[in-house]
Amino acid sequence: MNRTMKLSVTMSLAVLALTLLTLGIQAAKALPAQPVNINTATADELTALPNVGPKTAEAIIAYRTEHGPFAKPEDLMSVKGIGEKTFEKMKPYVTTGGQSAGATN
């Protein structure tokens, strides 16, 4: 194998390893121990929910700011980017009452 080919193979393996590591980190996301109140949660608290990243968390906050508090967890499906399948993954971890696990008064 010539030097250019070895370098190419090494770079490809490094990119593959980084990709697998990134996927592993995302898959290992810890789920909330207590339900997250979608009416009071911060963006950081919302990102603990399944399938919720920073962009979706900000969309949830923007929606509740514009439309007021969510009456029921199913109202999350009114937020752009949250459909029935995504909501079903989130459902066990959300509430509209009480306080989020990390929220303070």
Side-chain angles (χ1 to χ4, degrees):
M1 222 184 258
N2 68 30
R3 182 181 171 146
T4 304
M5 194 172 205
K6 284 181 184 179
L7 181 59
S8 178
V9 169
T10 302
M11 293 296 289
S12 295
L13 289 174
V15 168
L16 178 61
L18 184 58
T19 301
L20 292 174
L21 178 63
T22 301
L23 291 173
I25 289 170
Q26 289 174 351
K29 177 173 152 176
L31 296 172
Q34 297 177 333
V36 173
N37 183 338
I38 56 176
N39 287 321
T40 60
T42 65
D44 284 342
E45 291 168 332
L46 291 168
T47 59
L49 296 169
N51 290 45
V52 176
K55 186 175 179 180
T56 303
E58 291 302 328
I60 292 169
I61 292 170
Y63 186 90
R64 78 175 184 222
T65 299
E66 183 176 337
H67 299 279
F70 294 96
K72 58 189 183 295
E74 290 78 5
D75 292 343
L76 277 171
M77 289 186 282
S78 298
V79 176
K80 184 176 180 178
I82 300 177
E84 190 173 339
K85 288 181 182 181
T86 298
F87 174 72
E88 286 301 320
K89 293 176 186 173
M90 298 166 58
K91 187 176 180 178
Y93 306 101
V94 299
T95 185
T96 55
Q99 196 169 294
S100 290
T104 58
N105 290 333

